[in-house]
Amino acid sequence: MSTEVRRARVSDHGAIVDRVQTWWDATHSPEQSRELSLLLPKLFLQFFSRTSLVVEEDGAVRAFLVGLYSADDDHGAYIHFVGVAPELRGRGVGRTLYEEFFRAAAAAGRTEVRSITSPRNTRSIAFHRAMGFTLEPGDHEADGLPVHSDYDGPGHHRVCFRRAL
């Protein structure tokens, strides 16, 4: 079995969208999974493939991280979306992707990374905390978490993270 972490390519887009629609099927309806995949239009790989990563195993996408460096803040980087095959979760694959992104961002002169998640996504919140992210103050609290109301539009509240590099 051959596994490698590599830069993403535009040609990975179809596989990544397919993975989002199948890897989340245990926790989301097919319609919700399709909507989730809409957060990954091809433009992310057309313009940010150099800052995005894929874990490939025997030619198949097994995990990915879509990240970018801010055009407006020379010190900032952002992790937009991460997916790991369900059978690989808990094995350090996500950690490997994040650490590789951190190394590349630091080498590019970036000094902080940000990310967001839904307040209901307790696994993501725990993961980000374990990766050294701090929670940014929000405009209210929910279940003891600082939440940013309507961050992604009406009713789409988010927990925001920041990590120094």
Side-chain angles (χ1 to χ4, degrees):
M1 191 175 331
S2 171
T3 303
E4 74 169 306
V5 178
R6 62 168 173 78
R7 278 186 180 170
R9 299 186 284 255
V10 176
S11 60
D12 293 321
H13 182 257
I16 288 172
V17 167
D18 177 68
R19 299 318 182 267
V20 171
Q21 292 180 1
T22 57
W23 290 348
W24 277 265
D25 64 354
T27 56
H28 293 74
S29 71
E31 178 61 25
Q32 289 170 323
S33 294
R34 189 191 70 73
E35 285 180 21
L36 197 58
S37 74
L38 295 176
L39 294 173
L40 290 165
K42 188 179 262 187
L43 71 88
F44 277 102
L45 297 183
Q46 288 174 315
F47 296 99
F48 303 107
S49 61
R50 185 174 60 87
T51 56
S52 297
L53 301 164
V54 165
V55 172
E56 187 175 79
E57 187 175 86
D58 294 329
V61 172
R62 303 291 286 145
F64 64 89
L65 179 152
V66 175
L68 55 103
Y69 302 158
S70 173
D72 295 334
D73 173 4
D74 293 339
H75 302 288
Y78 181 76
I79 295 175
H80 174 66
F81 204 112
V82 179
V84 176
E87 62 275 12
L88 296 180
R89 293 177 190 159
R91 295 186 181 180
V93 176
R95 176 175 290 279
T96 297
L97 287 170
Y98 271 64
E99 288 173 349
E100 181 61 29
F101 183 82
F102 295 159
R103 276 192 292 279
R110 305 304 166 139
T111 57
E112 76 173 12
V113 177
R114 292 179 175 210
S115 192
I116 65 169
T117 196
S118 164
R120 293 182 311 263
N121 195 340
T122 56
R123 290 181 65 176
S124 177
I125 293 165
F127 177 79
H128 281 88
R129 284 178 155 169
M131 291 301 300
F133 283 85
T134 59
L135 286 78
E136 294 187 35
D139 57 16
H140 79 278
E141 281 196 15
D143 297 325
L145 295 169
V147 175
H148 297 253
S149 300
D150 302 328
Y151 186 92
D152 279 337
H156 297 278
H157 314 314
R158 298 291 179 255
V159 174
C160 298
F161 303 98
R162 179 186 304 231
R163 183 186 191 276
L165 295 178

